[in-house]
Amino acid sequence: MADCSQAGSGRHSMDKSITLPPDEIFRNLENAKRFAIDIGGSLTKLAYYSTVQHKVAKVRSFDHTAKEVDGDPLYEISVQEEITARLHFIKFENAYIETCLDFIKDHLVNTETKVIKATGGGAYKFKELIEKKLKLKVDKEDEMSCLIKGCNFVLKNIPHEAFVYAKHADSEFRFQNTHPDIFPYLLINIGSGVSIVKVESEDKFERIGGSSIGGGTFWGLGALLTKTKRFDELLQLASRGQHTSVDMLVKDIYGGAYGSLGLTGDLIASSFGKSATTDKEFSKEDMAKSLLHMISNDIGQLACLYARLHNLTRVYFGGFFIRGHPVTMHTITYSINFFTKGEVQALFLRHEGYLGAIGAFLKGAEEDNPNQYSWGENYAGSSGLMSVSPDLNPMQRVRSGTFDMLEMDRLERQLVNLPLLQDPSSYIPDTVDLTEDALARQYWLYCFEEALDGVVNRAVASQPDLPQAVERAEKFRQKYLHKLQTLRHQPFAYGSLTVRSLLDTREHCLNEFNFPDPYSKIKQKENDVALRYFQKVVRSLEKLPWEQRQFALVKGLLAGNVFDWGAKAVSDVLESNPEFGFEEAKHQLQDRPWLIDCYDQWVERLKGPPHKCALFFVDNSGIDIILGVFPFVRELLCRGTEVVLASNSGPALNDVTNSELQILTERIAAMDSVIQAAIKEDRLTLVQSGSSSPCLDLR
Amino acid sequence: MKLKDAKKTSFPWFGMDIGGTLVKLVYFEPVDVTAEEEQEEVECLKSIRKYLTSNVAYGSTGIRDTHLELKGLTVHGRRGNLHFIRFPTHDLPTFIQMGRDKNFSTLHTVLCATGGGAYKFEEEFRTIGNLQLHKLDELDCLVKGLLYIDSPSFNGQAECYYFENALDPERCRKMPYNLQDPYPLLVVNIGSGVSILAVYSKDNYKRVAGTSLGGGTFLGLCGLLTGCESFDEALELASKGDSTHADKLVRDIYGGDYERFDLPGWAVASSFGNMIYKEKREAVTKEDLARATLVTITNNIGWIAKMSAVNEKINRVVFVGNFLRVNTLSMKLLAYALDYWSQSQTKALFLEHEGYFGAVGALLGLLNFT
């Protein structure tokens, strides 16, 4: 740690001379507009809105009525340019502010921007510098309202934004499902002092209390007591200290517990009380620890009194005292747990440091109505949560101390929870949480790393005619490899680590380097092959007696799923032998009973009246959708059941997208009267899931 | 106090409260000793009475608070004076040794003690002093002692008071307060740490809150920051300092009031918040630091007391404990803070015998013991 802190203090002398890698730090500045800046005591957070031009894959049906030649592709794939909105947030040390402002000035093209929204204590101090450098008018916004606005925004848009901290658990960070209704909550901001704010709705909040004993007290008193100047160093001291040598505990007074009141012997009766009664010298570490406990406990008690008074159970903590520091998160968590007897859990936020900047930005961008859209965290462009835990690899620490980024993409449409979800707040879309399961994590990280070559090759192959595909694919490889390495050290960086999030991160990285749909050609080919078999499969199914047919249909659904991303063996076969057929897959299925087997109940139910409506979330292209799902759908339609097919809005692996499915459905309808009639009568409808992820998330 | 058989409790009458920092001792000196009694009085009892009543200081650290002495009381059917004595807890072994030297154990009396030390030092009293302690709960004693001393029929002297215009040096006045109907009452006991009790009747009270930031924290931090060695010295330093040199005020951040949230410019935004700057650390004096420590601890206690009062729906808060001894600075701060933040809804009250109620409660326990 000594090396790190030296590197930290050394930076100040060379801050003017750093060169910023433009394609990594202030990206998309050329299209940037609507700036906001939040300048705190030591960190500056810059926010801007920009547009990103990137490639998207489109499919278009050929006109098949003119000629029907064998071997012609089913539909046309094209890559087009699309412009989407992106929010950029960058966090850096105040020491770099001048360099950064110069950089922005040099790269800023858009001249319509006239104003920069500013908040935070330093906004006042740096006002002139910003106005001089950027030639933008500084428009100050109230700190607290920005904080709240930012907090509402991240809670609404980022799943797994909030977490509880458990120092001794397998996974220190336990991410929380965000309740669809985020209000009301208590925000306890521990800056130099403490503010306690009750937030009741988007626009309604109230500062219900506060305390002067906060981060400034820890820092100021700590500096006096230990002659240690930097806040981080004080925390390091505290993490090595023993408060029991400085504090007077209940057992120092009682000799044990104070049983009748239920006060245990280890409870602090009087902070620094031992120093009041003895003349001995205390170590810096011990004093810093005692101070940390004193302040954390005091805040915890206050928070608990206010939570009780206002009957609130969701309590979020933020401010520079917290900011991802494991030591303070631990003491605050402990204290809240103690004072509320476990009824309230202290919650922390992954993007807590950005709240002010996000809020200030939102205030300046109200005419763009950013709150009417859904925004998604872009894993490719975001640094993720950097733990400042001392045992973290030192490179990561240095990086986290310089530039940290958050990028959010505007999603095409506002996302809502699937209305059929019974309790969205307890719904967990993933089966394994890799943050908690270290073995599974290692396995999957290995799998993704192993599969990377294949993905890179496929990406290159998907764009034979486009320039620099090989170079871009290589950049993709480096980026994704770096993400995997980050996740190996900090599995909690982007919320709960799951197979889904690993896949999503890969999609984001692919998109970043303009590979919107590496599987497009494979999907096209598979769809093509499968379509040729459709009528044959349907005919042979129709020949079967009812009961046998039902079983064959279900087997068809399962067999289609053998062509899935998870089974590496299958993807190998697919790669080398595209003729690997549907029949073969069916033969490979295990005999019943299957791992999860409700087949008997299903058949019993089918003997009853028809279902009113069936909703399918479809998965893979080719054999799965065409030979597995469609015959099954057809059977349901014949029974009089309406069917809705939900598919991804954007490409993800070999999953069939909504636009591809439209073409496929048309083609099948042309061959099959049942499907055709159902479409005409609106008994078969296609909808988009809003997702571009290979895994299902109904939220 | 109605007691069944007064005569049976033999002298000497002591009540002891052994806290984390201080031992508080009350001693009832009978003045109606008959000649006959005096004849019977054993030598050692006489010598104890004489030693305690003829001195105001004991050893190098024991002190009798003569200004608190209650004269001509009738307690338990006997007339006498009540003496109030204190010494540091770390000198308790000397006290026990003295009891042994003066053959205290031959008196066959019961020694009633409360406070954590009654538990912690029980063994030492027994093995070294050959004394059996009768242990009493400290909060029970506190409440009983407080209600006893404050009962209007007790001695007719004004025990309870408050401050008018607390922070105005010209107009500030100490005013007697009639606590005739004391319930409900919030009692904030500031010793080494702080306990807050809601008292609803003579026998019905509960501990509603507490904090580890108390008198021990003030003295402990002050010692580390200024090198001072005693509570009185720390207070002396604090009286000459200016806490705003160490603290960051609302106006230091916002240039004035933070109107959006009704925060006045003079309010402390961050205790010791200015001490994060090197130049300010170099300019600050010991006196400033002592004052800032006092203000920080006092305001924090005031705020938790206010919150507890709101939660318990009680509007009278009485502050007791030895942190307030000769500490008018803190008392006035508490009075002002409570008045200001509660919009005069909550009143801060103080008691003359601030730190001795636990010991008085222990003495009452002795008289009830037989």
Side-chain angles (χ1 to χ4, degrees), chain B residues 132-133 165-166 174 179 191 196 203 217 246 254 259 276 293 323 335:
Chain B
Q132 194 66 42
L133 284 191
N165 307 312
K174 181 175 163 182
L179 204 58
I196 299 181
D203 312 301
T217 316
Y254 296 99
E259 282 160 17
I276 68 170
T293 312
F323 174 65

Side-chain angles (χ1 to χ4, degrees), chain A residues 358-430:
Chain A
I358 294 175
F361 168 79
L362 291 173
K363 277 186 173 271
E366 260 153 14
E367 63 190 71
D368 291 338
N369 278 326
N371 266 325
Q372 283 188 357
Y373 298 95
S374 288
W375 299 81
E377 181 180 11
N378 186 309
Y379 295 140
S382 304
S383 313
L385 183 68
M386 292 293 169
S387 170
V388 276
S389 135
D391 43 335
L392 196 70
N393 108 38
M395 275 313 292
Q396 298 285 354
R397 241 188 83 78
V398 172
R399 240 173 55 77
S400 75
T402 45
F403 290 91
D404 185 276
M405 283 163 289
L406 166 65
E407 293 182 9
M408 294 182 77
D409 288 322
R410 192 171 79 195
L411 308 179
E412 273 181 59
R413 52 189 64 71
Q414 189 154 23
L415 296 183
V416 293
N417 291 326
L418 182 74
L420 296 177
L421 268 186
Q422 194 171 25
D423 176 17
S425 59
S426 65
Y427 167 72
I428 299 167
D430 308 287

Side-chain angles (χ1 to χ4, degrees), chain A residues 142 212 252 254 271 275 301 309, chain B residues 120 138 210 212 220 258 271 311:
Chain A
D142 174 65
S212 69
D252 294 321
Y254 272 83
S271 295
S275 132
Q301 174 165 42
L309 197 63
Chain B
K120 187 181 177 186
E138 69 171 292
S212 71
Y258 190 4
S271 299
N311 266 343

Side-chain angles (χ1 to χ4, degrees), chain B residues 160-174:
Chain B
C160 185
Y161 60 94
Y162 67 98
F163 288 98
E164 223 174 51
N165 307 312
L167 289 194
D168 183 342
E170 308 275 296
R171 291 161 59 224
C172 176
R173 274 193 300 166
K174 181 175 163 182

Side-chain angles (χ1 to χ4, degrees), chain A residues 28 31 50-54 82-86 88 409 512:
Chain A
N28 298 314
N31 302 316
S50 188
T51 49
V52 199
Q53 191 166 32
H54 64 104
E82 199 179 74
I83 289 174
T84 54
R86 186 175 286 180
H88 292 263
D409 288 322
E512 197 59 39

Side-chain angles (χ1 to χ4, degrees), chain B residues 319-337:
Chain B
F319 292 92
V320 297
N322 266 318
F323 174 65
L324 298 175
R325 191 180 63 77
V326 296
N327 187 0
T328 31
L329 216 52
S330 286
M331 287 194 274
K332 287 179 182 176
L333 266 176
L334 286 170
Y336 183 78

